[in-house]
Amino acid sequence: MIRCLFLMSLLVQAYLAKSGGDGGKGGGGQPAKPAAPPRKWPTLSGFPPLIVARGGFSGLFPESTALANNLALQLRYTDVALLCSLQLTKDSIGICLTDIRLDNSTNIAEIFPKDSKTYKINGHDVKGWFAKDFSSQVILNNVSMVQSILSRPSAFDNQLAIATVDEVKNSKPPLLWLNVQYDSFYSANKLSMSDYIEKTMGFQGLSYISSPEIGFLKNMKKKAPKETNLIFTFLGQDEVEPTEKKKYGDILKDLNAIKDFASGIVVPKEFIWPVDANNYLEKHTTLVADAHKAGLEVYASGFANDAIISHNYSFDPTNEFLQFVNQPDTIVDGLLTDFSPIASNAIACFANNDTKREKQVDTLIITHNGASGVYPGCTDLAYEQAVNDGADIIDCSVQLSKDGVAFCSDSADLTGDTTAMPTFMSKSSLIPEVQKDKGVFSFDLTWAEIQSLKPQMFSPFGQRTGCYRNPAAKNKGKFMTLSDFLGFAKSKAVQGVLINIENAAYLASKKGLDIIETVNKALKNASLDKVQVMILSDDSSVLSKFKGDKGYKRLLHFKETISAVTKSAAGEIKKYADGIVVYRSSLIVVNDGSFTKAKTNVLKEMHAANISVYVSIMRNEFVAIPFDFYADPTMELATFVVELDVDGFITEFPATANRYLRSSCVDMNAEVAILPAQVGALLEEIPASTLTPERPPSPPLDVKDIVDPPLPPVTPVSAEGSKSPPGPPGAPAPAPSSGMAVAANFGVCVAAFMALGLLLSMEH
């Protein structure tokens, strides 16, 4: 444990040291603590909202442990208070744990399996292991902390001791907040919270004392010095307060009465910004304004980066923090959070940030199917949102219909992004040249059939984690032909377009469709003289077809993780492409426990060969983000910009990247900057015995992995699969004549009778 603490101290120092020289996009220095607020805030104090670190940095480490407290105090640009939830041992020693049941956040059930008990707490029978039943010596010498929330890393479990109140005080927080949740329970068991605070602590170092019990706060009001703020904590609206036996919702109606025993209130964030049954924000309440009028400070609780938050925030925790510090009528006096560094960044970097200012670095924001984290991908709504959100380059993955119409869709298989499966299940097929699974493919449907479908919001982590994207827009939007997409891009004066071309060889040889010629004609007809055109493909032969095209930038797409690149491989890529698109794991290795491990040499070798590198796919959902980035998509972006100097992001949430890249906090020489993660630093502090065996790395990129066979000629399909001649690129083909329709229907009927006869003969 001593080794762990020592090395973590080094981690904190390394994290805070900004790199010098020419590396990345920044310079040296440490976070500066502003001497005064840059503006007068509409809080009661006039200062920025206070960040209250619940249990220190409990979003990463077990709550209130030395590591959690130290990191919360180090990584801050605004005032931070450490919150300790007080529990008392049998011998009246104060320890810091939120849950009164020790088994929820420690290993006590394994150490003392027979010592659980059941008590009546606030009218409910509660079974567990309780601090009051054990001496401090027994707990501190035998019991270790574990992470109480499953979405958080368990790698530090059983490594850290339970923190005493004295230990938290000795970490020298600028502000110490003591939360007393269960005074009535302890009093009934002959342990006094009031005596502990008054006689044992002598109120020393206490800036805040909070409690959901009115009787306790009234008692403290008689004893606490003026510099100690008493805060009344609201539980659920329908829960009953132990002293006055009233529902908290009823107590909330008389804020002036609270002023008699408290200077502020803590309320669940939903008391200020309610959410409906579908998890969308409703109109804000007047609670903040009413409380301020009564002279009460308001602290909002319940913030955690790894929790399911309102769909309005697009899985971005910074958006949620800003909702409570940017909206004039709902600016709170403080935020209680498990991820205090991210809340501090939100206030210091993005409160009242002007997203219309020029980007601070030249890193490109490239969409993945438009703003597909907000609307169904590749629809008019997704592209409109992407432009509004500040995307530099909007993308179209070109697919072809059976009758030759080019349109935008993430995949030739329409089952993921449209309602194709229930509608055209009979047309599903397995095509190994395209993908390993069965699907309903665009080239097997006419454009008219495709237009009969609805777009469908794709949530990559929905079924596994419940992180479903904007369900209100599940089937909204319209499909866009390639020509419509290019016309839209031109009308919006975007910086560029990215055209993704896949399955060219299959389409030419098996379907008689020339996707290369189709794209070329559409680009020519669009006359994009002032728009940068990028051609993306996983096939080097496709890129060869665009060699020499004036102004086109060719990008080679690697769909498998690359562990390393040789100089010869980089040189070979240069023959076909000006840049590459790789997954995040090809630049930063992440282990099976979701910790970053090391940087690869891919970016270094590519830049040495004058090849641009674009990282894909950036997503906001916390389940997609390694622990090193604190469940924060902005910190992940900062790491790829500052630590790796990527040339661009391919993202489904362009608004998040745009906000960061237009902020002054992207500059590492600025007074306030968003610090990148130190890749691999957390992993070094985890005992090897707790790690799962590593899988062997993927092989390094070889020349043979780059060069693809020449594209086959376009082969007309057989008479049975013949189609009417395609119209102009991006336009629907002419409808079949009535004679053709009759012939087709007759053929289908004959095939059906033949199939029926075959089935009957097999049955006999």
Side-chain angles (χ1 to χ4, degrees):
M1 185 177 297
I2 293 176
R3 172 186 175 275
C4 184
L5 288 172
F6 174 72
L7 290 178
M8 188 54 70
S9 175
L10 295 181
L11 165 65
V12 172
Q13 296 175 38
Y15 187 100
L16 291 171
K18 298 178 185 177
S19 59
D22 296 327
K25 297 190 178 181
Q30 288 194 1
K33 297 166 190 171
R39 63 184 177 90
K40 182 169 176 61
W41 285 71
T43 56
L44 283 190
S45 68
F47 282 80
L50 176 67
I51 303 302
V52 184
R54 190 196 68 85
F57 194 174
S58 54
L60 183 61
F61 303 109
E63 68 165 303
S64 292
T65 56
L67 299 187
N69 291 333
N70 289 339
L71 208 56
L73 294 176
Q74 293 286 347
L75 302 181
R76 63 188 180 92
Y77 286 113
T78 59
D79 285 336
V80 170
L82 285 187
L83 185 147
C84 159
S85 290
L86 178 63
Q87 309 293 342
L88 290 180
T89 63
K90 191 175 187 178
D91 48 347
S92 291
I93 297 299
I95 58 176
C96 299
L97 288 171
T98 297
D99 199 316
I100 197 169
R101 297 163 296 181
L102 302 188
D103 46 305
N104 274 4
S105 55
T106 76
N107 64 352
I108 194 169
E110 299 174 12
I111 307 299
F112 304 107
K114 298 180 180 180
D115 290 344
S116 68
K117 293 187 178 180
T118 301
Y119 292 104
K120 185 80 71 177
I121 302 177
N122 294 337
H124 302 284
D125 288 331
V126 179
K127 183 179 180 180
W129 283 253
F130 299 86
K132 75 163 212 67
D133 295 322
F134 300 87
S135 70
S136 58
Q137 186 175 8
V138 168
I139 289 178
L140 299 177
N141 291 341
N142 295 280
V143 179
S144 298
M145 294 293 295
V146 299
Q147 185 56 265
S148 59
I149 297 178
L150 295 179
S151 60
R152 296 175 182 177
S154 60
F156 301 102
D157 288 1
N158 304 312
Q159 307 296 317
L160 304 166
I162 296 174
T164 65
V165 174
D166 285 342
E167 287 170 341
V168 175
K169 280 177 57 182
N170 291 338
S171 66
K172 296 183 171 29
L175 299 166
L176 177 60
W177 184 308
L178 204 63
N179 182 49
V180 180
Q181 189 89 358
Y182 300 101
D183 176 67
S184 296
F185 169 76
Y186 281 101
S187 295
N189 287 276
K190 301 185 183 216
L191 289 169
S192 174
M193 292 283 195
S194 299
D195 285 352
Y196 175 79
I197 295 171
E198 180 187 7
K199 297 176 181 178
T200 305
M201 293 187 67
F203 293 100
Q204 289 184 5
L206 278 181
S207 303
Y208 297 86
I209 299 174
S210 62
S211 177
E213 300 188 15
I214 293 175
F216 171 77
L217 290 175
K218 286 184 174 180
N219 185 32
M220 283 289 99
K221 179 79 171 176
K222 303 171 187 175
K223 303 174 180 181
K226 291 182 179 180
E227 55 268 22
T228 299
N229 297 281
L230 301 180
I231 309 296
F232 180 51
T233 300
F234 280 83
L235 303 182
Q237 296 262 14
D238 293 327
E239 293 190 51
V240 177
E241 190 277 326
T243 306
E244 299 192 354
K245 308 301 181 184
K246 293 180 180 179
K247 291 183 178 181
Y248 286 99
D250 293 330
I251 296 172
L252 193 64
K253 297 173 184 177
D254 189 2
L255 294 172
N256 288 317
I258 296 173
K259 183 64 177 173
D260 292 339
F261 57 86
S263 62
I265 57 176
V266 171
V267 297
K269 59 189 180 182
E270 293 79 14
F271 280 28
I272 300 169
W273 282 98
V275 294
D276 63 19
N278 296 315
N279 205 24
Y280 286 94
L281 290 180
E282 297 179 332
K283 179 178 173 54
H284 66 78
T285 68
T286 61
L287 174 58
V288 174
D290 294 341
H292 282 177
K293 186 177 180 181
L296 293 170
E297 292 187 314
V298 180
Y299 298 86
S301 66
F303 294 93
N305 293 12
D306 55 357
I308 303 294
I309 56 179
S310 170
H311 297 299
N312 300 74
Y313 303 129
S314 297
F315 302 100
D316 187 343
T318 297
N319 282 343
E320 184 178 37
F321 288 130
L322 293 177
Q323 190 76 12
F324 290 81
V325 302
N326 257 0
Q327 302 294 326
D329 296 328
T330 59
I331 295 179
V332 296
D333 299 275
L335 303 162
L336 275 67
T337 174
D338 296 359
F339 292 81
S340 58
I342 307 309
S344 182
N345 287 345
I347 292 174
C349 292
F350 302 122
N352 298 300
N353 183 42
D354 183 9
T355 56
K356 294 182 179 179
R357 65 186 295 179
E358 291 295 321
K359 278 169 55 184
Q360 303 299 292
V361 293
D362 56 4
T363 311
L364 288 176
I365 303 171
I366 306 172
T367 65
H368 183 248
N369 306 321
S372 53
V374 182
Y375 287 107
C378 297
T379 60
D380 58 337
L381 295 178
Y383 291 125
E384 186 74 44
Q385 187 70 43
V387 172
N388 293 338
D389 287 345
D392 299 310
I393 311 288
I394 58 174
D395 72 305
C396 172
S397 291
V398 181
Q399 311 302 335
L400 293 181
S401 66
K402 184 176 182 179
D403 45 352
V405 177
F407 66 101
C408 303
S409 184
D410 182 56
S411 170
D413 178 9
L414 302 179
T415 57
D417 296 308
T418 76
T419 55
M421 183 51 82
T423 307
F424 292 107
M425 187 179 295
S426 61
K427 294 195 175 186
S428 65
S429 60
L430 178 63
I431 305 177
E433 300 98 318
V434 176
Q435 64 182 35
K436 62 180 180 180
D437 300 317
K438 290 182 70 174
V440 177
F441 297 96
S442 66
F443 42 73
D444 291 330
L445 301 178
T446 65
W447 177 238
E449 289 174 322
I450 293 171
Q451 285 184 300
S452 71
L453 303 174
K454 291 181 180 180
Q456 185 166 277
M457 176 70 80
F458 175 62
S459 298
F461 312 104
Q463 290 186 341
R464 182 165 61 90
T465 67
C467 293
Y468 288 99
R469 295 176 173 180
N470 196 9
K474 181 180 179 181
N475 300 116
K476 289 187 176 180
K478 299 177 181 178
F479 302 116
M480 293 189 78
T481 64
L482 176 57
S483 59
D484 287 342
F485 167 81
L486 296 174
F488 171 83
K490 187 175 181 179
S491 69
K492 295 295 182 179
V494 296
Q495 183 174 333
V497 295
L498 182 147
I499 306 300
N500 183 24
I501 300 174
E502 296 181 347
N503 306 315
Y506 177 82
L507 291 171
S509 61
K510 300 296 177 66
K511 296 296 179 180
L513 297 170
D514 191 342
I515 192 170
I516 305 294
E517 181 63 17
T518 300
V519 168
N520 266 322
K521 286 183 178 179
L523 288 171
K524 183 178 180 181
N525 291 340
S527 302
L528 303 176
D529 299 331
K530 297 181 180 180
V531 177
Q532 169 72 63
V533 175
M534 293 179 164
I535 303 295
L536 172 67
S537 182
D538 59 349
D539 190 328
S540 61
S541 295
V542 169
L543 297 182
S544 295
K545 295 292 185 180
F546 293 90
K547 186 175 183 179
D549 286 325
K550 187 176 180 180
Y552 289 6
K553 189 167 186 176
R554 299 175 298 160
L555 307 180
L556 187 58
H557 192 184
F558 289 96
K559 293 188 173 182
E560 301 292 333
T561 296
I562 304 169
S563 63
V565 173
T566 62
K567 286 184 173 57
S568 59
E572 190 68 23
I573 290 172
K574 188 63 179 175
K575 296 177 183 177
Y576 301 95
D578 307 294
I580 62 171
V581 171
V582 293
Y583 292 131
R584 297 172 300 165
S585 56
S586 292
L587 302 181
I588 296 178
V589 181
V590 178
N591 78 345
D592 291 339
S594 200
F595 288 95
T596 65
K597 187 175 180 181
K599 292 183 283 189
T600 70
N601 77 334
V602 172
L603 188 137
K604 180 181 177 182
E605 291 298 334
M606 291 296 127
H607 278 183
N610 197 27
I611 297 171
S612 300
V613 178
Y614 303 93
V615 60
S616 175
I617 302 167
M618 310 306 291
R619 289 169 168 146
N620 282 5
E621 290 95 337
F622 68 88
V623 294
I625 300 173
F627 290 128
D628 303 65
F629 305 134
Y630 306 162
D632 178 35
T634 302
M635 187 172 175
E636 183 177 34
L637 294 171
T639 303
F640 278 103
V641 169
V642 177
E643 285 289 294
L644 282 86
D645 197 10
V646 296
D647 297 282
F649 303 116
I650 295 181
T651 176
E652 294 171 344
F653 296 89
T656 298
N658 182 55
R659 184 190 60 218
Y660 167 64
L661 294 177
R662 294 183 190 277
S663 165
S664 60
C665 288
V666 75
D667 181 5
M668 298 303 290
N669 290 311
E671 182 182 7
V672 178
I674 292 179
L675 302 176
Q678 298 296 309
V679 176
L682 279 177
L683 188 61
E684 290 178 2
E685 312 314 320
I686 300 172
S689 60
T690 67
L691 298 173
T692 56
E694 288 290 320
R695 291 175 293 177
S698 56
L701 189 67
D702 193 79
V703 172
K704 69 178 187 305
D705 302 318
I706 299 166
V707 181
D708 293 292
L711 292 176
V714 178
T715 304
V717 293
S718 61
E720 289 80 1
S722 62
K723 59 182 183 352
S724 57
S737 67
S738 58
M740 292 174 61
V742 170
N745 289 334
F746 177 76
V748 170
C749 292
V750 171
F753 280 114
M754 291 177 65
L756 179 61
L758 178 61
L759 286 171
L760 290 172
S761 65
M762 291 174 64
E763 209 169 43
H764 287 294

